[in-house]
Amino acid sequence: MHRVTDIAYSARTRFQLLQIIRTSSFGQCLILDGKLQSSEKDEFIYHEALVHPAMISHPRPTKVFVAGGGEGATLREVLKSRSVETVVMVDIDEEAVDVCRRLLPSLHQHSFDDERVRICHQDAREYLMGT
């Protein structure tokens, strides 16, 4: 349980209940369907552990695929690798990505604007099957 100090956004998208809240202990948080996804104060722990083991296990990653990741923090971590030339992020919920882009800049740190990034809004499994 966390003390909510503000609700910046709360709406049902076509796919989920999306909320951006501020808590006293974790700052801004992304909540999807009532479950905490990312929080401003500690999201780096999850996203660094998610991205960097795969990135350092490859000798020179140039093309990266991100399934989901609508808040942009996974993109942020992938883009830290200088060898990356292209990142395709596929997230089915365009509204969620747009809201996170506007309201959670501390998480994505403008990674959506990087020229190496291409964002597609469709089912990630279908995207992979078709490419």
Side-chain angles (χ1 to χ4, degrees):
M1 304 297 286
H2 304 284
R3 182 169 165 242
V4 176
T5 59
D6 184 41
I7 300 173
Y9 187 89
S10 183
R12 180 160 292 286
T13 72
R14 198 170 130 215
F15 301 97
Q16 58 203 336
L17 174 61
L18 169 67
Q19 296 172 301
I20 309 282
I21 65 169
R22 179 171 291 284
T23 66
S24 57
S25 54
F26 288 101
Q28 280 193 298
C29 300
L30 170 63
I31 312 291
L32 298 177
D33 290 332
K35 295 179 179 75
L36 180 65
Q37 301 296 308
S38 291
S39 65
E40 192 173 39
K41 299 289 186 204
D42 69 353
E43 60 76 22
F44 68 93
I45 298 167
Y46 172 77
H47 290 100
E48 287 178 3
L50 176 72
V51 171
H52 295 297
M55 297 300 285
I56 64 173
S57 70
H58 191 287
R60 191 172 182 275
T62 58
K63 298 177 184 174
V64 178
F65 174 78
V66 176
E71 84 276 71
T74 301
L75 281 178
R76 179 197 71 219
E77 293 302 315
V78 166
L79 292 168
K80 288 179 179 178
S81 177
R82 291 189 179 122
S83 66
V84 170
E85 297 171 2
T86 305
V87 184
V88 176
M89 183 186 98
V90 180
D91 192 300
I92 198 167
D93 197 336
E94 185 173 6
E95 184 179 348
V97 173
D98 290 342
V99 169
C100 290
R101 191 174 189 163
R102 278 188 296 119
L103 299 180
L104 296 174
S106 65
L107 270 62
H108 60 74
Q109 297 176 7
H110 306 288
S111 59
F112 293 111
D113 300 323
D114 191 291
E115 62 189 19
R116 297 171 288 171
V117 172
R118 185 168 64 103
I119 300 170
C120 299
H121 298 291
Q122 68 183 84
D123 181 89
R125 175 184 250 172
E126 289 176 13
Y127 177 89
L128 284 175
M129 291 174 67
T131 58

